[in-house]
Short mmCIF file of all heavy atoms in Angstrom, two decimals:
data_model
loop_
_atom_site.label_atom_id
_atom_site.label_comp_id
_atom_site.label_asym_id
_atom_site.label_seq_id
_atom_site.Cartn_x
_atom_site.Cartn_y
_atom_site.Cartn_z
N ASP A 65 177.31 179.07 323.75
CA ASP A 65 177.52 178.81 325.18
C ASP A 65 178.54 179.69 325.77
O ASP A 65 179.36 180.27 325.07
CB ASP A 65 177.97 177.32 325.38
CG ASP A 65 176.86 176.35 325.03
OD1 ASP A 65 175.69 176.63 325.34
OD2 ASP A 65 177.22 175.32 324.46
N ARG A 66 178.46 179.78 327.03
CA ARG A 66 179.58 180.43 327.78
C ARG A 66 180.90 179.80 327.34
O ARG A 66 181.00 178.59 327.21
CB ARG A 66 179.38 180.21 329.29
CG ARG A 66 178.60 181.28 329.94
CD ARG A 66 179.42 182.52 330.07
NE ARG A 66 178.63 183.65 330.60
CZ ARG A 66 178.92 184.91 330.34
NH1 ARG A 66 179.93 185.24 329.61
NH2 ARG A 66 178.16 185.85 330.88
N GLY A 67 181.93 180.55 327.19
CA GLY A 67 183.21 179.99 326.70
C GLY A 67 183.38 180.47 325.24
O GLY A 67 184.20 181.28 324.97
N GLY A 68 182.57 179.89 324.36
CA GLY A 68 182.60 180.35 322.94
C GLY A 68 182.02 181.73 322.79
O GLY A 68 182.56 182.52 322.06
N ASP A 69 180.88 181.91 323.47
CA ASP A 69 180.20 183.23 323.55
C ASP A 69 179.56 183.73 322.24
O ASP A 69 178.53 184.36 322.30
CB ASP A 69 181.17 184.38 323.97
CG ASP A 69 181.22 184.56 325.47
OD1 ASP A 69 180.71 183.71 326.16
OD2 ASP A 69 181.71 185.62 325.89
N ARG A 70 180.13 183.43 321.09
CA ARG A 70 179.59 184.00 319.82
C ARG A 70 179.56 182.94 318.79
O ARG A 70 180.50 182.14 318.60
CB ARG A 70 180.52 185.11 319.34
CG ARG A 70 180.65 186.32 320.27
CD ARG A 70 179.37 187.08 320.38
NE ARG A 70 179.52 188.29 321.17
CZ ARG A 70 179.18 188.36 322.51
NH1 ARG A 70 178.73 187.34 323.13
NH2 ARG A 70 179.29 189.55 323.10
N PRO A 104 176.05 186.18 325.20
CA PRO A 104 176.27 186.75 326.49
C PRO A 104 177.23 187.94 326.53
O PRO A 104 178.00 188.15 325.60
CB PRO A 104 176.87 185.60 327.31
CG PRO A 104 177.39 184.63 326.29
CD PRO A 104 176.53 184.79 325.11
N GLY A 105 177.15 188.69 327.61
CA GLY A 105 177.95 189.92 327.75
C GLY A 105 179.42 189.60 328.02
O GLY A 105 179.77 188.69 328.71
N HIS A 106 180.24 190.43 327.41
CA HIS A 106 181.69 190.41 327.73
C HIS A 106 182.27 191.74 327.25
O HIS A 106 181.62 192.58 326.66
CB HIS A 106 182.36 189.18 327.05
CG HIS A 106 182.40 189.20 325.56
ND1 HIS A 106 182.43 188.02 324.79
CD2 HIS A 106 182.43 190.22 324.64
CE1 HIS A 106 182.50 188.35 323.54
NE2 HIS A 106 182.46 189.63 323.36
N ARG A 107 183.58 191.93 327.57
CA ARG A 107 184.27 193.07 327.01
C ARG A 107 185.73 192.70 326.74
O ARG A 107 186.25 191.72 327.30
CB ARG A 107 184.17 194.28 327.95
CG ARG A 107 184.82 194.09 329.32
CD ARG A 107 184.68 195.38 330.12
NE ARG A 107 185.21 195.19 331.47
CZ ARG A 107 185.27 196.19 332.34
NH1 ARG A 107 184.87 197.42 332.02
NH2 ARG A 107 185.74 195.96 333.59
N HIS A 108 186.35 193.40 325.86
CA HIS A 108 187.72 193.13 325.44
C HIS A 108 188.37 194.38 324.93
O HIS A 108 187.68 195.33 324.52
CB HIS A 108 187.78 192.00 324.42
CG HIS A 108 186.65 192.00 323.39
ND1 HIS A 108 186.54 192.94 322.41
CD2 HIS A 108 185.60 191.17 323.28
CE1 HIS A 108 185.46 192.69 321.71
NE2 HIS A 108 184.85 191.61 322.19
N THR A 109 189.70 194.38 324.93
CA THR A 109 190.41 195.56 324.46
C THR A 109 190.27 195.76 322.94
O THR A 109 190.19 196.91 322.47
CB THR A 109 191.89 195.56 324.82
OG1 THR A 109 192.42 194.28 324.53
CG2 THR A 109 192.09 195.89 326.27
N PRO A 110 190.20 194.66 322.11
CA PRO A 110 189.94 194.94 320.70
C PRO A 110 188.60 195.66 320.52
O PRO A 110 187.58 195.34 321.12
CB PRO A 110 189.88 193.53 320.08
CG PRO A 110 190.76 192.73 320.96
CD PRO A 110 190.44 193.21 322.32
N SER A 143 186.50 199.67 322.28
CA SER A 143 187.40 198.95 323.22
C SER A 143 186.87 199.03 324.66
O SER A 143 186.52 200.07 325.15
CB SER A 143 188.77 199.55 323.12
OG SER A 143 189.66 198.94 324.01
N TRP A 144 186.84 197.84 325.31
CA TRP A 144 186.55 197.71 326.73
C TRP A 144 185.10 198.07 327.14
O TRP A 144 184.81 198.30 328.28
CB TRP A 144 187.59 198.41 327.58
CG TRP A 144 187.82 197.75 328.92
CD1 TRP A 144 187.62 198.33 330.14
CD2 TRP A 144 188.25 196.39 329.13
NE1 TRP A 144 187.89 197.40 331.12
CE2 TRP A 144 188.29 196.20 330.54
CE3 TRP A 144 188.58 195.34 328.31
CZ2 TRP A 144 188.66 195.00 331.14
CZ3 TRP A 144 188.96 194.12 328.88
CH2 TRP A 144 188.99 194.01 330.27
N CYS A 145 184.20 198.23 326.15
CA CYS A 145 182.78 198.40 326.49
C CYS A 145 182.12 197.06 326.60
O CYS A 145 182.34 196.17 325.80
CB CYS A 145 182.10 199.20 325.38
SG CYS A 145 182.59 200.92 325.30
N TRP A 146 181.29 196.89 327.66
CA TRP A 146 180.49 195.66 327.79
C TRP A 146 179.52 195.56 326.58
O TRP A 146 178.93 196.52 326.20
CB TRP A 146 179.64 195.69 329.05
CG TRP A 146 180.44 195.66 330.33
CD1 TRP A 146 180.57 196.69 331.22
CD2 TRP A 146 181.17 194.57 330.87
NE1 TRP A 146 181.34 196.32 332.28
CE2 TRP A 146 181.74 194.98 332.08
CE3 TRP A 146 181.38 193.22 330.45
CZ2 TRP A 146 182.51 194.15 332.88
CZ3 TRP A 146 182.16 192.40 331.25
CH2 TRP A 146 182.72 192.89 332.46
N HIS A 147 179.43 194.35 326.04
CA HIS A 147 178.42 194.17 324.97
C HIS A 147 177.87 192.78 324.93
O HIS A 147 178.57 191.77 325.20
CB HIS A 147 179.07 194.52 323.58
CG HIS A 147 180.30 193.80 323.27
ND1 HIS A 147 181.56 194.07 323.85
CD2 HIS A 147 180.57 192.74 322.42
CE1 HIS A 147 182.46 193.28 323.33
NE2 HIS A 147 181.91 192.43 322.49
N LEU A 163 186.83 193.77 313.51
CA LEU A 163 187.59 194.09 314.72
C LEU A 163 189.05 194.37 314.40
O LEU A 163 189.56 193.91 313.38
CB LEU A 163 187.58 192.88 315.71
CG LEU A 163 186.30 192.61 316.55
CD1 LEU A 163 185.35 191.74 315.77
CD2 LEU A 163 186.62 191.94 317.86
N LEU A 165 191.33 193.06 316.05
CA LEU A 165 191.90 191.98 316.84
C LEU A 165 193.37 191.55 316.42
O LEU A 165 194.23 191.43 317.27
CB LEU A 165 190.94 190.80 316.76
CG LEU A 165 191.28 189.46 317.36
CD1 LEU A 165 191.62 189.55 318.79
CD2 LEU A 165 190.11 188.52 317.15
N ALA A 173 198.26 193.09 323.44
CA ALA A 173 197.46 194.04 324.25
C ALA A 173 196.05 193.57 324.49
O ALA A 173 195.17 194.34 324.76
CB ALA A 173 197.51 195.42 323.59
N ILE A 174 195.82 192.27 324.35
CA ILE A 174 194.47 191.76 324.46
C ILE A 174 194.15 191.39 325.95
O ILE A 174 194.92 190.65 326.60
CB ILE A 174 194.24 190.53 323.57
CG1 ILE A 174 194.38 190.98 322.12
CG2 ILE A 174 192.86 189.93 323.82
CD1 ILE A 174 194.00 189.99 321.09
N PHE A 175 193.08 191.98 326.43
CA PHE A 175 192.45 191.61 327.72
C PHE A 175 190.99 191.27 327.44
O PHE A 175 190.43 191.88 326.52
CB PHE A 175 192.53 192.76 328.72
CG PHE A 175 193.90 193.02 329.22
CD1 PHE A 175 194.77 193.83 328.51
CD2 PHE A 175 194.34 192.48 330.45
CE1 PHE A 175 196.05 194.08 328.98
CE2 PHE A 175 195.63 192.74 330.91
CZ PHE A 175 196.50 193.57 330.19
N PHE A 176 190.44 190.36 328.19
CA PHE A 176 189.07 189.90 327.99
C PHE A 176 188.40 189.68 329.33
O PHE A 176 189.07 189.19 330.27
CB PHE A 176 189.06 188.63 327.16
CG PHE A 176 187.69 188.01 326.96
CD1 PHE A 176 186.94 188.31 325.83
CD2 PHE A 176 187.15 187.19 327.94
CE1 PHE A 176 185.69 187.77 325.66
CE2 PHE A 176 185.86 186.63 327.75
CZ PHE A 176 185.14 186.95 326.58
N GLU A 177 187.17 190.02 329.48
CA GLU A 177 186.45 189.76 330.69
C GLU A 177 185.01 189.36 330.40
O GLU A 177 184.34 190.03 329.53
CB GLU A 177 186.47 191.06 331.56
CG GLU A 177 186.07 190.85 332.98
CD GLU A 177 186.16 192.20 333.75
OE1 GLU A 177 186.77 193.17 333.26
OE2 GLU A 177 185.62 192.23 334.87
N ALA A 178 184.55 188.30 331.00
CA ALA A 178 183.15 187.89 330.84
C ALA A 178 182.26 188.70 331.79
O ALA A 178 182.68 188.98 332.92
CB ALA A 178 182.97 186.42 331.13
N TYR A 179 181.05 189.05 331.36
CA TYR A 179 180.11 189.76 332.24
C TYR A 179 179.54 188.78 333.27
O TYR A 179 179.13 187.70 332.91
CB TYR A 179 179.00 190.39 331.43
CG TYR A 179 178.10 191.30 332.19
CD1 TYR A 179 178.51 192.58 332.60
CD2 TYR A 179 176.84 190.83 332.65
CE1 TYR A 179 177.68 193.36 333.34
CE2 TYR A 179 176.00 191.62 333.41
CZ TYR A 179 176.47 192.90 333.74
OH TYR A 179 175.63 193.69 334.52
N GLU A 180 179.53 189.16 334.55
CA GLU A 180 179.07 188.26 335.60
C GLU A 180 178.08 188.97 336.56
O GLU A 180 178.16 190.18 336.68
CB GLU A 180 180.26 187.81 336.46
CG GLU A 180 181.40 187.22 335.64
CD GLU A 180 181.58 185.78 335.82
OE1 GLU A 180 181.86 185.38 337.01
OE2 GLU A 180 181.47 184.98 334.92
#
Side-chain angles (χ1 to χ4, degrees):
D65 291 321
R66 270 287 175 204
D69 270 15
R70 298 292 184 263
H106 66 209
R107 62 179 177 176
H108 36 70
T109 46
S143 178
W144 211 240
C145 290
W146 294 110
H147 55 285
L163 284 86
L165 175 57
I174 297 189
F175 290 83
F176 177 94
E177 194 178 348
Y179 187 77
E180 307 248 300

